[in-house]
């Protein structure tokens, strides 16, 4: 993969160093900023290919940095991966709503970080999965990809970005069977550094969160998965 310019905004020196070290090892050009203000001005002057953004920052916090980057036409297309602690889940939802591209929860492995960065860089400003505003309604289920919002009977269900993309993709093609490899490339990104079984893990998590509606995702033995046909 071509070398990319990446800005890491993280105030904890150990984590910043770990992120920078692993991305540099992949050949990327990495600069580290310690707070939101510095990060924002750097994004404006350097025009990076990607930003890795910690949410808990001194001064301007990560969500605000994300909002400012995504509301400025000049910087809007820059992919942002948020770095979060588990306790910041509501900030993650907010961040995704205002345009962050993905998030990674602490503690994470270098391998996971590199994989997420690769996917976000490859996706870049392009819309691989859907047009903005794309919304699928199936029975009592609504999946709105542009807002990363999924609801059953009007009640929001808390899904990860990957689970949302997976559910949206399947629901868009009810009755059609997709292999694990197809789902991997459509939902996670081509040549993702993950195995076919990874899809099983996402499907399992997704079904759990769908609760009594889990039957909408059907397993087709030896083939893959499909979204159940609407009741005739
Ligand atoms: Ca922090």
């Amino acid at each position: 993969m071509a070398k990319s310019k990446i800005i890491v905004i993280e105030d904890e020196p150990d984590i910043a160093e770990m992120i920078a070290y692993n991305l540099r090892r992949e050949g990327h050009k990495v600069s580290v900023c310690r707070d939101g203000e510095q990060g924002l001005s750097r994004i404006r002057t350097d025009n990076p290919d990607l930003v890795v953004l910690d949410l808990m920052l001194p001064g301007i916090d990560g969500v605000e940095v994300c909002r400012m980057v995504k509301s400025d036409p000049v910087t809007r297309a820059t992919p942002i991966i948020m770095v979060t602690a588990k306790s910041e889940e509501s900030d993650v939802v907010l961040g995704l709503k205002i345009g962050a591209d993905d998030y990674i929860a602490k503690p994470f492995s270098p391998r996971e970080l590199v994989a997420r960065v690769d996917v976000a860089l490859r996706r870049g400003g392009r819309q691989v999965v859907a047009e903005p505003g794309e919304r699928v309604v199936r029975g009592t289920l609504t999946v709105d990809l542009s807002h990363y919002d999924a609801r059953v009977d009007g009640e929001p269900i808390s899904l990860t970005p990957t689970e949302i993309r997976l559910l949206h993709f399947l629901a868009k093609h009810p009755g059609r069977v997709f292999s694990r490899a197809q789902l991997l490339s459509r939902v996670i990104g081509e040549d993702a550094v993950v195995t076919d079984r990874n899809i099983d893990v996402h499907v399992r998590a997704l079904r759990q969160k769908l609760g009594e509606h889990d039957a909408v995702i059907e397993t087709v033995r030896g083939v893959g998965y499909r979204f159940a046909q609407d009741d005739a």
Side-chain angles (χ1 to χ4, degrees):
M1 170 168 287
K3 290 180 185 171
S4 298
K5 214 193 298 176
I6 298 176
I7 292 179
V8 176
I9 310 176
E10 167 67 83
D11 60 317
E12 288 159 73
D14 289 356
I15 299 177
E17 202 175 303
M18 184 276 247
I19 295 173
Y21 171 79
N22 284 285
L23 295 179
R24 283 185 187 128
R25 220 172 50 164
E26 295 295 303
H28 300 304
K29 192 170 168 290
V30 182
S31 26
V32 175
C33 300
R34 299 285 186 216
D35 62 53
E37 235 148 57
Q38 195 194 356
L40 271 173
S41 70
R42 199 72 186 252
I43 290 168
R44 286 175 186 140
T45 54
D46 283 13
N47 185 29
D49 301 300
L50 179 94
V51 175
V52 178
L53 174 66
D54 182 36
L55 284 189
M56 287 286 268
L57 292 168
I60 310 175
D61 72 17
V63 169
E64 195 51 33
V65 170
C66 180
R67 193 196 309 276
M68 289 166 93
V69 170
K70 293 297 179 180
S71 61
D72 181 342
V74 177
T75 55
R76 181 178 291 161
T78 312
I80 294 181
I81 297 181
M82 299 180 286
V83 176
T84 72
K86 237 200 158 80
S87 55
E88 296 158 18
E89 216 160 82
S90 57
D91 288 344
V92 170
V93 173
L94 184 59
L96 292 171
K97 272 191 181 154
I98 58 179
D101 296 78
D102 201 356
Y103 72 91
I104 185 165
K106 293 175 189 173
F108 51 84
S109 70
R111 187 184 149 90
E112 191 181 357
L113 169 78
V114 167
R116 297 295 187 89
V117 165
D118 278 355
V119 170
L121 283 172
R122 209 176 308 118
R123 203 181 296 136
R126 292 171 294 135
Q127 289 289 340
V128 167
V129 178
E131 297 301 316
E134 198 164 342
R135 199 160 163 266
V136 172
V137 181
R138 298 273 172 251
T140 58
L141 173 76
T142 307
V143 191
D144 184 343
L145 195 57
S146 63
H147 294 98
Y148 277 89
D149 185 56
R151 285 163 193 265
V152 171
D153 297 322
E155 288 296 312
I157 29 180
S158 167
L159 302 179
T160 67
T162 302
E163 288 160 7
I164 290 257
R165 287 197 290 268
L166 179 62
L167 181 61
H168 180 269
F169 182 74
L170 288 169
K172 224 172 116 183
H173 308 95
R176 200 167 137 197
V177 186
F178 295 96
S179 69
R180 291 176 174 82
Q182 281 173 322
L183 292 174
L184 266 181
S185 75
R186 301 294 192 87
V187 175
I188 300 188
E190 293 161 49
D191 51 82
V193 204
V194 283
T195 64
D196 282 9
R197 294 294 146 200
N198 200 287
I199 282 290
D200 297 346
V201 174
H202 290 299
V203 168
R204 203 177 309 136
L206 189 52
R207 279 181 175 147
Q208 240 164 42
K209 293 178 184 177
L210 288 169
E212 57 182 293
H213 299 273
D214 60 354
V216 295
I217 298 174
E218 299 175 339
T219 304
V220 183
R221 268 188 77 121
V223 187
Y225 296 100
R226 78 176 157 218
F227 195 89
Q229 287 273 25
D230 290 345
D231 293 328

